[in-house]
Amino acid sequence: MASPGKASVSDSHVGKKKKPPARYWQEETDGEKKGAEDGGRAAEEEPRTQKPKQEEHQRDGKRFISGKSDPFPGPAPIPEDRLQKFKRKEKTKKHRRQHYKLRDIITRSEEASEMAQKQAARFDILLPEDAGFLEGDEEEDTYTISQEDIADAVDITSGAKYFNLKLSQFGPYRVDYSKTGRHLLLGGRRGHVACVDWQSKQLMCEINVMESINDVKWLHSETMYAVAQKKWLHIYDSNGIELHCIRKFNDVLRMQFLPYHFLLATASASSFLKYLDVSVGKEVTAICTKTGRLDVMCQNPHNAIIHLGHPNGTVTLWSPNQKEALVKMLCHQGGVRSVTVDKSGTYMVTSGMDKKLKVYDIRALKPLQSYFLPAGASCLSLSQRGLLSATTGDVVQVYKDVCNTPVTKPYMAHRVRGTAWGLSFCPFEDVLGVGHGDGFTSMLVPGAGEPNFDGLDANPYRSAKQRQEWEVKALLEKIQPELISLDPCELGQVDQATFQQRHQDRVQALGFDPLAKEKFVPKYKKKGRSSTGNVEKRKRQVAHEDQRDIIKQTVEDKMKMEKERKNREKKKAKLSGSRSALDRFKN
Amino acid sequence: MKVKVLSRNPDDYVRETKLDIQRVPRNYDPTLHPFEVNREYTRALNATKLERVFAKPFLASLDGHKDGVNCMAKHAKSLSKLLSGSCDGELKVWDLTKHECVRTLQAHEGFVRGIVVRFCGTSFFTAGDDKTIKQWKMESPGYGEEEEPLNTILGKTVFTGLDHHQKDGVFATCGQQVDIWDEQRSSPIRSFTWGVDSFSAVRFNPVETELLASCASDRSIVLYDMRESAPLKKVIMTMRSNTVCWNPMEAYYFTCSNEDYNLYTYDMRFLDRPITVHMDHVSAVLDVDYSPTGKEFVSASFDKTIRIFPKDGGRSREVYHTKRMQHVICVKWSADNKFILSGSDEMNIRLWKANAAEKLGVLTPREKVAVNYSQKLKEKFQHHPQIRRIAHHRHLPKSIFHQTKELRVMKEARRRKERNVRKHSRPGAVPVVSEKEKHVVTVVK
C-alpha cells in the first residue's frame, strides 16, 4: 500500500485517482481535509470494486487474495506403487442389466475401499523406520565383509546383536524366535533348553530335559513353548515348568505353530501329521501321510498350509481338512533336505540331496529358478523382506532376490564353529540366528527384517498388560481350522456352486440321492385292465410335460440359429468374391 | 563399505511415564496382516453371537389399568410422557423414565376409543363409547380441584377413532362417518361418507397435513382431502384393515394392518397394488406405528406378538413376546427411535427396546466405534450361512411356531392346487396373479 503522504502527492496531477482514507496519525491540513472527504467515498467504493475479484479467486481455488497461486493445488498426490501395495482386489465389472440398488451398493463400497486404500498409502509415507542395507566399496563384494567389520561399523546397540554363545556340551541346537522377535528359544540335541530375551541378553529359563530333543517352538506368546522330545511332546512355560506332556503326540520330529489358528502342527517319525489346538488342548486332526519319516517341514504364513519334504524328492502340501495331500510336487532328484516359504505365500524355496536349490511359484506350482550349490543346503530360511539364508556344513550364506533374478554371488557369508542345525531370521530385526554344534550365533544381516511393525499384531516393545490384552483379542478371533485352504480369501468370494453341484456333493457325501423318487414297481396283478402298470405307462406319456415345451423350444431355437449362421456364411462367401482357382469347375 | 542396520530407539515405542497411555505404532501393510477375511469373518461371527446374547428387549411393564388397554398416545413435546386409555373408560398418564403413573382420570363411560395430544402438547382429546369427545388439560389439576374436561362435545354416534391436525386447531374423528371438527365448534365442519357404515381408524398425513386416510369396514382404505367436500379415492381389499399409519419421512407411503395376518404398504398415488406385502404374523394385525426415521415400523397382532418390519422388507426382522402378554391391541414407537410401547389385553403396557441388543445409556467413544465396527461386519457377512442362521434365529412360543408351519403348508398346498388347475385348463384361462395383486379387489375414484 502506498503511504498516505504519497497519495497526497499523487492527487495533484491525477484528479480522479482514488485516495486511501485518512488515518489518525496524519496531520490535518487544509489540503488533506478535502482529500479525507474524497477518501471516505473511495473507501466505500473500494470494496465494491474489489469484491467480485476476490470471489473469482476463491472460486478458482488456485489464487489467494495476495494474487499468488497455490503451488500445490488439490490433495497431495500418492505414488502409484504405494497405492498398489494396499490394493485388495480389482474393481467389479458393472453389467448394464444390474439392478440399480445393487449397482449403488457396489459403487458406494468401492468408493469406501478406495478411500481406505488412499489413506493407508498416505499413512505409509509417515512410517518412522527405513530398512537396513549393506553396500560394498567399488570392486568389493558384500560377502567378503566379515561380521566383525559390520558390528564395528554400526552403532553399539546394533553391534551387540552380533554375538556367539559357546554351548559345546549339548549341541547342535534348534532355534526359534517368538512372533515379536524379542525372545529366543534354543533347544540342544542332548536335552538343553534355554529361553533368552536376546536383546537384553537376559536368561528367562534354562533346563535340561534329560532326553534328546528334536525340535522346539514358541507357542502364541513368550510364556509358553513346546518341546518335541525323544518320546512325547511337552509344553513348558517360560519359567521352565512342565505344563503338559501330550502322549498322543509321539516321536515328533518337526513342529510348526500357526499363530492365527492357535494350532501346533507336528510331523512325526511314524509319518503322522497331527494338529494340536493349543487354545483348548485338543487334537484337531491326525493325518497319516504314509510317506515315511517326516523331518522336513515348514508352513506357508500366507494360508497356513503345511509343506512337508520327503526322501523321494517330493514336497506335499497339507491342510487339516483333508486326509490326502492338497498338492504333491516332485522337486528334486534325491531327497528333500529343507523347505521354506516366503511371507506373501508366493515363493517356495527347496533344497535337496541332489545339491540343488530350487525356487517355485506355489500359486501357479511352477519352477522359477534352479541353483546348484556345491555342498547342498541343509537348512533354509526366508526373511520378512525376502532374503534367503542357506547353510552348507558350517557356512551360512545369505542371498538376495533369489526368486526373480538368477543370482551368482551370495549377499553375505559367515562361517560358524560347527555344523548348522537350526536357522531362523528374527522378525522385525536385521538378525539371523544360527544354531550349530558349538552353540548359537546371532548374525547381523542388514535389510532382513521388516522395519515397521504393527503394534496391534506383533509389538516387540509391548508390556505385560499389552500382551495380556493382545492374547484375549487374538483368542477371540481365533480362526477355525476348517477355514484353512489354499486360497485364504476364499471366504470373501461369492459361492458360485450351483444347486446341481451342491446336490452332487451331497449325494457323494451321503452315498445315496435323498431327493430321488422311488422307482415305480408295478404291482403284479393278474386281472383287470386298468392295472397299475398301465397307469404308470400313461403317467410316463405326460411326464415332464412342462419341460418338454422348453426343450422343444430350445432345440428349435438352436436349429434356427444354426440355419441363420449357415445362410450368413454363404452370403459372406458370395459377397467376398474370393474365388479360388477351382471355382470355375463348379458349374 | 556402507551399512545400515535396523536400530530402534526404545523411547520412540515405549510410553514415557506410567501416567501416559501405551504407544501403539501401526503399519497397515496387508502382508503383515494375513488371513484378513478369515479374521473378519470370525469377528463377525462373534459379534452376531454376542448380539443374540445381549438381546434382552423387555424393559418394563406399566401396570395399573383395571381393564384392557385400548389406545395409547405419545406426547407431542415430551419424550417421557405417555397417555393410555382402557376399556373401562379410564385414562392414565405415565412417566416413562420412572415407570409410574402420574395421573388417572375417568374419561368416559365404556371404552376410551381414541386419544390424541394436541400438537402444542398443552391439552389432549379423548373420544369414547359414550358418544362424547372431551378435551383435557395436560397439566394435572391442583390440590382440591376436580378433574374436569376443558370442553365436551356430544356426538350423535359412537366414535371409533380420533386424530389431530399437525398444525391447526382441527381434528378428525371416525365412526359412522369421518368428521372434521374445528376445536372451537361443537358440530363438525365437514363429514365424509362413501356408502360405508363404519370406519375403524383415521390418520392425518404428517407432511401433506390436509390429507387423511381411514380404514372402513367394507374392507376399504379411503383417502380424503380436508379441503374438498368428497373423498379422494379408495382401495378395496379382500379383508378389512384395522389401522393405518403414514410413513413420517416419505409421507406418500402408508402401511395398513389387515385382518388377513398381513400388513400392506401402499403408495398413495398408485393404489392398484401395494408396494410391499409384509407377512409373518399368524393372526389378525391390530395396530401399526412407524419409527420416526421412517425406516421401520412395528405391528401388534392378535397372536400375542409384536413384530418389527423394515419398511421395504417382506419379512420381520424381530419378534417380541412374553409368556404373560395377551392379544396386543395398540403399539407405539417412541419419538427418540429407541423404544417401543405396547398395550395389551391383560391390562399392561410394556416397554421394549427397538433394537433388542442395544446398550442403553451414554456410550463412550470407544464403545461407539466398536458398535459401529461390529455392525458393519455383521452387514458384510450377513449372507454367510452360519452367521445368517444365528442372526435369524428367534425362539417362538410353541403355538406360534406350529401355526407358522401350518400356514406355510396351507399356502404351499394352495399354490400347488392353483398350478395344477392352470396346467389342466386352457392356456391363459387361469392367469398367474402375484402376491401383491392378490389382495386388492379394486380401486375406486
Side-chain angles (χ1 to χ4, degrees):
Chain A
M1 275 283 261
S3 72
K6 269 182 193 170
S8 65
V9 172
S10 63
D11 80 331
S12 59
H13 64 272
V14 186
K16 284 213 166 180
K17 184 91 177 183
K18 282 170 219 154
K19 266 202 295 181
R23 307 301 300 271
Y24 65 92
W25 63 82
Q26 284 175 287
E27 301 113 304
E28 281 193 25
T29 53
D30 281 10
E32 282 194 355
K33 256 187 192 172
K34 208 180 83 193
E37 255 178 44
D38 271 2
R41 204 180 60 221
E44 273 173 19
E45 277 172 12
E46 226 169 36
R48 232 183 293 150
T49 50
Q50 236 174 20
K51 233 182 189 171
K53 261 190 199 169
Q54 236 175 11
E55 277 170 22
E56 214 174 70
H57 293 324
Q58 279 163 2
R59 239 180 284 134
D60 286 347
K62 287 173 186 170
R63 297 202 165 187
F64 299 120
I65 303 165
S66 60
K68 279 181 185 167
S69 61
D70 185 0
F72 306 107
I78 311 160
E80 193 57 39
D81 56 326
R82 270 189 213 275
L83 269 181
Q84 207 60 36
K85 187 173 156 192
F86 294 98
K87 194 166 191 176
R88 299 310 206 279
K89 75 193 260 288
E90 295 297 318
K91 274 191 176 179
T92 43
K93 274 182 199 163
K94 277 177 197 157
H95 296 293
R96 210 155 43 82
R97 293 172 69 190
Q98 227 164 25
H99 194 265
Y100 69 98
K101 275 186 187 168
L102 177 64
R103 211 185 308 156
D104 281 358
I105 290 170
I106 291 172
T107 320
R108 240 175 285 137
S109 75
E110 265 174 7
E111 271 170 13
S113 62
E114 203 168 294
M115 193 190 72
Q117 187 193 346
K118 272 185 190 164
Q119 276 180 344
R122 286 236 163 80
F123 183 81
D124 204 41
I125 299 166
L126 303 176
L127 290 178
E129 305 281 344
D130 294 320
F133 60 86
L134 175 66
E135 283 170 16
D137 299 329
E138 275 178 42
E139 305 286 314
E140 185 193 21
D141 288 321
T142 48
Y143 61 84
T144 56
I145 301 169
S146 72
Q147 284 292 312
E148 282 80 10
D149 290 344
I150 295 174
D152 284 342
V154 297
D155 56 320
I156 300 169
T157 40
S158 303
K161 286 173 189 168
Y162 166 65
F163 60 90
N164 286 299
L165 297 178
K166 192 169 158 51
L167 305 160
S168 51
Q169 226 174 334
F170 301 107
Y173 279 86
R174 291 265 194 231
V175 179
D176 189 39
Y177 285 101
S178 67
K179 203 186 155 204
T180 56
R182 192 75 198 205
H183 301 272
L184 170 70
L185 183 63
L186 295 171
R189 178 84 191 136
R190 297 190 194 107
H192 175 220
V193 180
C195 32
V196 191
D197 184 345
W198 67 272
Q199 288 189 7
S200 60
K201 312 278 195 304
Q202 210 171 21
L203 187 65
M204 292 162 74
C205 82
E206 190 173 27
I207 50 171
N208 197 317
V209 298
M210 309 299 280
E211 250 183 344
S212 65
I213 287 178
N214 290 321
D215 202 1
V216 286
K217 214 83 200 166
W218 285 110
L219 298 187
H220 58 280
S221 69
E222 58 270 16
T223 52
M224 279 190 282
Y225 56 88
V227 180
Q229 296 181 15
K230 189 182 171 189
K231 247 189 169 173
W232 292 310
L233 178 70
H234 293 252
I235 291 178
Y236 297 88
D237 79 350
S238 58
N239 295 324
I241 298 163
E242 183 181 315
L243 299 176
H244 301 286
C245 165
I246 302 163
R247 301 206 174 148
K248 263 192 166 180
F249 288 64
N250 55 330
D251 305 322
V252 176
L253 293 180
R254 300 308 297 257
M255 294 188 287
Q256 282 294 331
F257 184 70
L258 312 176
Y260 295 101
H261 302 78
F262 285 83
L263 289 180
L264 184 71
T266 60
S268 68
S270 53
S271 91
F272 266 93
L273 173 65
K274 291 186 185 181
Y275 288 84
L276 176 74
D277 189 332
V278 295
S279 64
V280 289
K282 279 196 178 150
E283 186 190 273
V284 175
T285 33
I287 305 166
C288 181
T289 60
K290 298 172 193 163
T291 44
R293 196 178 155 84
L294 302 173
D295 56 352
V296 179
M297 184 188 201
C298 83
Q299 66 162 310
N300 184 341
H302 178 63
N303 56 11
I305 296 283
I306 295 291
H307 294 226
L308 295 176
H310 303 292
N312 60 356
T314 55
V315 171
T316 49
L317 274 58
W318 299 86
S319 88
N321 305 314
Q322 205 170 313
K323 292 285 176 193
E324 281 93 43
L326 301 172
V327 176
K328 274 185 192 174
M329 295 170 76
L330 182 62
C331 294
H332 290 281
Q333 301 290 348
V336 180
R337 290 180 78 184
S338 184
V339 186
T340 181
V341 180
D342 84 320
K343 188 179 65 166
S344 64
T346 320
Y347 305 109
M348 173 174 80
V349 186
T350 62
S351 71
M353 300 291 264
D354 57 355
K355 298 179 182 174
K356 279 201 172 144
L357 183 92
K358 289 188 179 176
V359 183
Y360 289 88
D361 183 344
I362 38 168
R363 292 177 306 179
L365 303 172
K366 274 180 187 162
L368 292 176
Q369 311 282 346
S370 176
Y371 301 99
F372 180 78
L373 293 182
S378 59
C379 296
L380 293 175
S381 175
L382 272 164
S383 85
Q384 282 177 321
R385 279 169 51 78
L387 297 191
L388 174 75
S389 65
T391 55
T392 53
D394 58 349
V395 177
V396 182
Q397 288 178 328
V398 181
Y399 295 91
K400 214 175 181 181
D401 297 333
V402 272
C403 302
N404 296 319
T405 47
V407 174
T408 48
K409 288 176 193 166
Y411 172 59
M412 289 180 74
H414 183 64
R415 184 181 291 273
V416 291
R417 264 178 268 165
T419 316
W421 204 50
L423 188 67
S424 176
F425 276 104
C426 178
F428 308 112
E429 290 288 345
D430 284 343
V431 166
L432 171 67
V434 187
H436 47 80
D438 201 41
F440 171 77
T441 302
S442 170
M443 271 174 68
L444 286 175
V445 182
E450 174 67 39
N452 295 296
F453 57 85
D454 190 274
L456 293 185
D457 198 52
N459 188 351
Y461 297 97
R462 69 187 174 190
S463 62
K465 196 82 198 158
Q466 274 178 308
R467 192 196 64 227
Q468 286 162 3
E469 273 172 23
W470 167 85
E471 204 168 346
V472 171
K473 286 250 166 70
L475 278 167
L476 271 176
E477 56 191 51
K478 183 186 93 169
I479 306 169
Q480 291 304 314
E482 290 85 53
L483 299 180
I484 296 178
S485 65
L486 276 174
D487 181 10
C489 299
E490 211 172 9
L491 204 60
Q493 285 156 4
V494 180
D495 183 17
Q496 300 278 18
T498 57
F499 173 76
Q500 280 167 338
Q501 270 172 332
R502 265 180 286 160
H503 180 67
Q504 253 176 12
D505 290 347
R506 209 167 145 209
V507 169
Q508 221 167 28
L510 290 172
F512 65 93
D513 188 356
L515 299 181
K517 274 186 186 170
E518 265 182 49
K519 210 175 175 191
F520 180 79
V521 184
K523 274 183 194 168
Y524 183 67
K525 269 192 197 170
K526 281 188 171 170
K527 51 183 179 176
R529 266 191 286 173
S530 78
S531 66
T532 40
N534 283 343
V535 171
E536 176 60 15
K537 240 182 238 169
R538 256 179 279 143
K539 268 189 182 173
R540 256 182 223 156
Q541 280 171 4
V542 293
H544 308 301
E545 216 171 33
D546 44 346
Q547 289 176 21
R548 274 183 198 176
D549 285 344
I550 300 165
I551 294 165
K552 227 184 248 174
Q553 192 69 38
T554 45
V555 169
E556 272 174 18
D557 282 354
K558 262 188 191 169
M559 300 257 279
K560 222 179 183 179
M561 296 260 277
E562 187 67 15
K563 214 175 172 185
E564 271 179 21
R565 199 179 55 82
K566 273 186 182 168
N567 274 343
R568 235 181 291 141
E569 272 179 14
K570 252 187 198 172
K571 263 186 190 172
K572 222 180 179 180
K574 256 186 192 174
L575 283 175
S576 65
S578 60
R579 289 169 67 86
S580 76
L582 300 172
D583 275 354
R584 59 199 148 123
F585 299 115
K586 261 188 179 171
N587 39 23
Chain B
M1 173 180 75
K2 272 203 277 186
V3 63
K4 179 186 181 287
V5 177
L6 270 183
S7 160
R8 300 191 187 88
N9 185 0
D11 292 347
D12 297 341
Y13 296 95
V14 180
R15 59 179 173 178
E16 280 173 14
T17 67
K18 278 196 168 174
L19 299 174
D20 294 343
I21 52 167
Q22 297 281 6
R23 283 187 185 161
V24 183
R26 299 301 310 269
N27 186 357
Y28 298 104
D29 189 351
T31 54
L32 285 182
H33 301 274
F35 308 108
E36 253 176 353
V37 181
N38 294 345
R39 286 160 79 189
E40 273 189 355
Y41 173 78
T42 314
R43 278 181 208 152
L45 188 62
N46 287 342
T48 317
K49 284 178 182 170
L50 283 179
E51 188 204 302
R52 289 288 86 214
V53 168
F54 291 128
K56 302 263 183 279
F58 181 67
L59 288 176
S61 161
L62 313 175
D63 55 339
H65 274 298
K66 296 187 203 79
D67 208 335
V69 182
N70 196 45
C71 52
M72 291 193 294
K74 291 180 271 188
H75 194 280
K77 298 282 176 191
S78 161
L79 278 177
S80 64
K81 281 243 172 79
L82 176 81
L83 289 82
S84 67
S86 73
C87 295
D88 59 353
E90 196 181 49
L91 186 138
K92 278 179 182 286
V93 182
W94 302 90
D95 189 334
L96 291 178
T97 45
K98 291 180 184 164
H99 301 169
E100 62 183 24
C101 176
V102 290
R103 186 180 169 196
T104 309
L105 53 103
Q106 189 65 35
H108 294 277
E109 289 163 23
F111 282 47
V112 182
R113 287 294 179 181
I115 312 173
V116 65
V117 180
R118 205 169 178 275
F119 55 89
C120 59
T122 54
S123 66
F124 60 90
F125 296 83
T126 59
D129 264 1
D130 54 358
K131 302 180 186 176
T132 54
I133 306 165
K134 292 180 182 174
Q135 186 181 9
W136 307 80
K137 253 192 165 169
M138 189 56 89
E139 283 172 20
S140 42
Y143 181 73
E145 285 176 43
E146 265 187 50
E147 284 277 16
E148 268 191 1
L150 287 174
N151 200 358
T152 307
I153 299 168
L154 288 171
K156 282 175 194 140
T157 56
V158 175
F159 299 110
T160 53
L162 181 67
D163 198 19
H164 200 280
H165 192 275
Q166 299 285 323
K167 289 168 192 159
D168 298 339
V170 174
F171 63 93
T173 59
C174 63
Q176 286 186 4
Q177 72 277 346
V178 172
D179 293 327
I180 311 290
W181 304 75
D182 194 322
E183 279 176 5
Q184 310 300 329
R185 298 194 195 175
S186 60
S187 56
I189 50 173
R190 196 151 291 155
S191 289
F192 297 107
T193 48
W194 196 345
V196 187
D197 55 346
S198 82
F199 292 89
S200 61
V202 63
R203 281 294 185 100
F204 272 101
N205 188 319
V207 176
E208 284 293 331
T209 48
E210 312 297 313
L211 290 179
L212 295 119
S214 72
C215 302
S217 64
D218 71 335
R219 303 165 300 158
S220 67
I221 299 166
V222 193
L223 298 180
Y224 311 90
D225 190 336
M226 217 172 72
R227 296 161 293 198
E228 286 179 27
S229 59
L232 289 176
K233 52 183 171 180
K234 68 175 174 183
V235 53
I236 301 175
M237 299 168 72
T238 49
M239 293 272 262
R240 192 164 67 90
S241 295
N242 283 317
T243 43
V244 65
C245 186
W246 294 93
N247 186 332
M249 285 291 133
E250 296 163 304
Y252 37 89
Y253 292 142
F254 63 85
T255 302
C256 61
S257 58
N258 204 292
E259 285 281 320
D260 65 358
Y261 311 174
N262 296 340
L263 293 114
Y264 300 94
T265 300
Y266 280 97
D267 190 329
M268 187 173 78
R269 300 160 294 186
F270 316 104
L271 289 178
D272 48 343
R273 60 189 305 212
I275 302 285
T276 324
V277 182
H278 310 274
M279 296 185 258
D280 258 352
H281 279 298
V282 292
S283 192
V285 191
L286 298 183
D287 199 8
V288 58
D289 194 33
Y290 261 97
S291 77
T293 57
K295 297 245 180 200
E296 287 173 323
F297 61 82
V298 59
S299 66
S301 165
F302 198 73
D303 63 10
K304 305 175 187 175
T305 61
I306 303 167
R307 282 182 186 268
I308 301 173
F309 291 87
K311 72 155 204 261
D312 46 7
R315 294 283 168 184
S316 62
R317 84 160 161 86
E318 193 71 78
V319 54
Y320 293 162
H321 57 84
T322 67
K323 227 175 196 174
R324 295 183 180 185
M325 187 163 72
Q326 295 301 312
H327 314 303
V328 195
I329 297 173
C330 50
V331 72
K332 287 276 177 245
W333 198 306
S334 77
D336 58 351
N337 197 24
K338 281 196 171 168
F339 303 102
I340 286 168
L341 292 141
S342 70
S344 47
D345 246 4
E346 76 327 315
M347 305 181 276
N348 273 323
I349 298 169
R350 289 194 167 75
L351 183 62
W352 309 85
K353 283 194 265 184
N355 284 319
E358 192 185 22
K359 191 190 166 198
L360 293 180
V362 183
L363 294 183
T364 60
R366 278 179 72 188
E367 272 176 321
K368 265 185 218 162
V369 168
V371 165
N372 288 344
Y373 180 62
S374 59
Q375 187 59 39
K376 190 74 199 171
L377 282 179
K378 277 182 265 176
E379 198 180 299
K380 186 173 172 184
F381 290 95
Q382 61 184 335
H383 298 297
H384 284 252
Q386 202 182 4
I387 287 175
R388 193 176 51 194
R389 187 181 63 79
I390 294 167
H392 283 205
H393 176 79
R394 295 288 179 280
H395 173 75
L396 282 176
K398 214 175 193 177
S399 61
I400 294 175
F401 181 73
H402 288 301
Q403 243 171 315
T404 316
K405 257 166 79 177
E406 201 181 313
L407 283 176
R408 201 182 304 141
V409 171
M410 284 160 68
K411 201 175 171 193
E412 178 53 34
R414 241 175 271 139
R415 208 171 64 87
R416 196 170 55 232
K417 172 144 195 181
E418 200 188 302
R419 206 175 54 213
N420 286 344
V421 168
R422 189 175 302 125
K423 203 187 238 173
H424 296 290
S425 48
R426 188 164 44 81
V430 186
V432 183
V433 184
S434 71
E435 186 63 41
K436 285 176 186 172
E437 286 161 340
K438 223 178 254 179
H439 303 281
V440 176
V441 177
T442 177
V443 180
V444 188
K445 280 185 186 166

